[in-house]
Amino acid sequence: MHTNTAQQLASHDWFAALAPTHRALVCAGIRLQRYAAGAFIARRGEPSRDWIGVHSGLIKLAVYDVDGRGATFSGVPAGGWCGEGSVIKRELRRYDVVAVRASDIWLLPAELFHQLLAESLPFSAYVIGQLNERMGQFIATIQNQRLLGVDAQVAQAIAQLFHPMLYPRTPLVLELSQEEIGLLSGISRQRVNLALGRLAELKLIDISYQSISVLDLEGLRRYGLASL
């Protein structure tokens, strides 16, 4: 087994649950690749060749039109995985996967993903859980964009990075700039700045240079939802 790769993947629940033979297969086939900020990790309309995990950094799932306008579905911080639905269906990718900042990305080839799905019950159970949780997250995102005010949309964009199953390694101090929050929420940097100020006044977060400390995660999750 590739010892260094195994050590790097050990904190991921799905890898830790695999049998030794399947761990060895993963270590032999998975790739770790560096992407610069703004780089496309996967493009909409291309074959879904890999299951995508974030070793370090931050990525987003989004779609763009020919004029460059975009809509963001979700941000994925370190420890998170995405793209399993397209890989399972062997379909063309339905959204772009973009590095919000310089990121180290795990790429598990689709064929190896399907082999694990067929042979490993723990892996299958993990993937089913991922699909279920992500469906709920996407429904919440659509709800938030259509029904919530801007301040609440910013609060929910931050809170979603703390999903206990999808993103279990997110620290309470987020190294996020206002621009990056804007990229995740689809809101201008200037408007994000105003929203963060209001959330800080409510003692939900604390703002420092290039970072945000979450002081009240449950309060952040509830912010703006009482009116729904």
Side-chain angles (χ1 to χ4, degrees):
M1 183 181 292
H2 298 64
T3 304
N4 190 48
T5 301
Q7 290 173 344
Q8 291 174 320
L9 288 170
S11 62
H12 296 273
D13 291 344
W14 66 268
F15 182 81
L18 295 178
T21 53
H22 290 136
R23 288 186 206 164
L25 284 173
V26 169
C27 290
I30 201 169
R31 312 184 311 280
L32 185 61
Q33 190 164 325
R34 181 79 168 174
Y35 290 87
F40 284 80
I41 298 162
R43 288 183 179 270
R44 183 171 55 149
E46 292 182 347
S48 302
R49 299 183 179 90
D50 302 285
W51 189 36
I52 299 167
V54 184
H55 180 62
S56 66
L58 177 68
I59 67 176
K60 66 174 182 176
L61 316 182
V63 293
Y64 297 92
D65 64 16
V66 293
D67 296 322
R69 294 174 300 179
T72 299
F73 300 130
S74 176
V76 183
W81 292 78
C82 64
E84 57 277 345
S86 296
V87 173
I88 288 172
K89 291 181 284 187
R90 302 181 188 273
E91 67 181 9
L92 299 181
R93 190 77 64 183
R94 295 191 176 187
Y95 49 80
D96 296 305
V97 183
V98 184
V100 174
R101 67 167 69 121
S103 302
D104 293 314
I105 303 299
W106 292 112
L107 300 171
L108 185 74
E111 292 310 314
L112 180 51
F113 178 94
H114 278 278
Q115 182 177 353
L116 293 173
L117 205 60
E119 297 179 3
S120 173
L121 286 176
F123 186 77
S124 296
Y126 178 87
V127 171
I128 290 171
Q130 282 272 113
L131 290 169
N132 185 51
E133 297 294 338
R134 199 176 306 285
M135 177 63 72
Q137 184 188 50
F138 283 167
I139 290 172
T141 297
I142 294 171
Q143 167 192 273
N144 295 343
Q145 290 176 345
R146 294 183 178 179
L147 300 178
L148 296 183
V150 174
D151 293 354
Q153 288 184 48
V154 172
Q156 295 306 314
I158 297 171
Q160 282 189 353
L161 297 176
F162 292 89
H163 192 292
M165 180 172 177
L166 294 175
Y167 315 129
R169 288 166 46 190
T170 305
L172 288 176
V173 178
L174 296 169
E175 294 182 359
L176 280 176
S177 68
Q178 295 169 11
E179 181 180 5
E180 289 172 335
I181 295 173
L183 290 171
L184 293 179
S185 60
I187 297 168
S188 71
R189 177 178 176 177
Q190 293 80 5
R191 192 59 186 84
V192 164
N193 184 37
L194 291 173
L196 292 177
R198 293 195 178 103
L199 296 176
E201 289 174 359
L202 295 170
K203 306 299 183 185
L204 298 176
I205 62 172
D206 183 60
I207 307 170
S208 302
Y209 178 70
Q210 295 290 307
S211 71
I212 296 169
S213 298
V214 176
L215 305 178
D216 183 356
L217 180 56
E218 289 307 312
L220 201 65
R221 285 173 170 156
R222 293 193 303 269
Y223 184 81
L225 298 182
S227 61
L228 298 182

